Amino acid sequence: MYMIPIVASSIRAVGYDEGTQRMRIIFPDGHCEDFCGVPPAVFDGLLRLPMVLYYDNHIRGRYKCERA
């Protein structure tokens, strides 16, 4: 998955695979989190709108990946 470097205090990089609708966010502390079933519009919104607010209002606590 291609990761897009982000210049923000809350997110260091973000990537998205449209085929699987999986999004990955790398946080400043190096912690990486995957989100599953993320519609393309949600990923686009994260890139276009104020990141912290968008993450808190539209992504945090949603799109959990099933663990095998």
Side-chain angles (χ1 to χ4, degrees), residues 37-50:
V38 178
V42 171
F43 174 68
D44 291 340
L46 181 66
L47 296 178
R48 284 193 334 267
L49 301 171

Side-chain angles (χ1 to χ4, degrees), residues 3-19:
M3 299 300 292
I4 301 167
I6 303 293
V7 179
S9 61
S10 60
I11 295 176
R12 187 169 68 185
V14 63
Y16 184 70
D17 181 328
E18 193 168 342

Side-chain angles (χ1 to χ4, degrees), residues 18-51:
E18 193 168 342
T20 62
Q21 291 191 327
R22 180 178 285 249
M23 180 173 66
R24 179 170 294 151
I25 295 178
I26 301 175
F27 297 93
D29 66 358
H31 171 77
C32 177
E33 192 166 343
D34 282 0
F35 300 87
C36 294
V38 178
V42 171
F43 174 68
D44 291 340
L46 181 66
L47 296 178
R48 284 193 334 267
L49 301 171
M51 219 166 253

